[in-house]
Amino acid sequence: MSVAGDREKADDDKNYKKDIAKEKDSLKKQVKQKREITIKAYQDSFSENIIEYEIKVVSQMKIYIQGLWEIIQKLDDSCHEIAEINKQMQEDFDKLK
């Protein structure tokens, strides 16, 4: 009975070690899957945030550029007005001579 009991104990030890190895592999796979899911979620979130930020920045830049174009147009108009006033003053001055 002792030999049979030792054999049974050895079989139990083998099965126990196999079960532990299986559980270990299963846990490793689960951790790897969760890690991949987490990384993917962070990447997606990061990409969404970058795109959202880019849209905000681009729209603000468009507004800024439009404002600069309006300033340029007003300065150009003012330059033409000043040139016209200067021309008129020169003509008036020449008439006084």
Side-chain angles (χ1 to χ4, degrees), residues 13-42:
D13 286 346
K14 282 182 184 178
N15 289 336
Y16 177 74
K17 288 179 182 178
K18 283 182 184 178
D19 288 344
I20 287 183
K22 284 181 184 178
E23 284 298 317
K24 199 178 199 182
D25 287 341
S26 176
L27 285 173
K28 284 180 183 179
K29 286 178 185 177
Q30 288 176 19
V31 167
K32 185 178 178 182
Q33 288 173 342
K34 295 297 182 186
R35 180 177 180 268
E36 289 171 357
I37 290 169
T38 302
I39 288 171
K40 175 91 171 88
Y42 277 118

Side-chain angles (χ1 to χ4, degrees), residues 82-93 95:
I82 290 170
E84 189 61 37
I85 291 169
N86 194 17
K87 180 181 172 187
Q88 189 64 42
M89 285 176 47
Q90 189 63 40
E91 288 173 2
D92 290 345
F93 182 73
K95 286 180 186 177

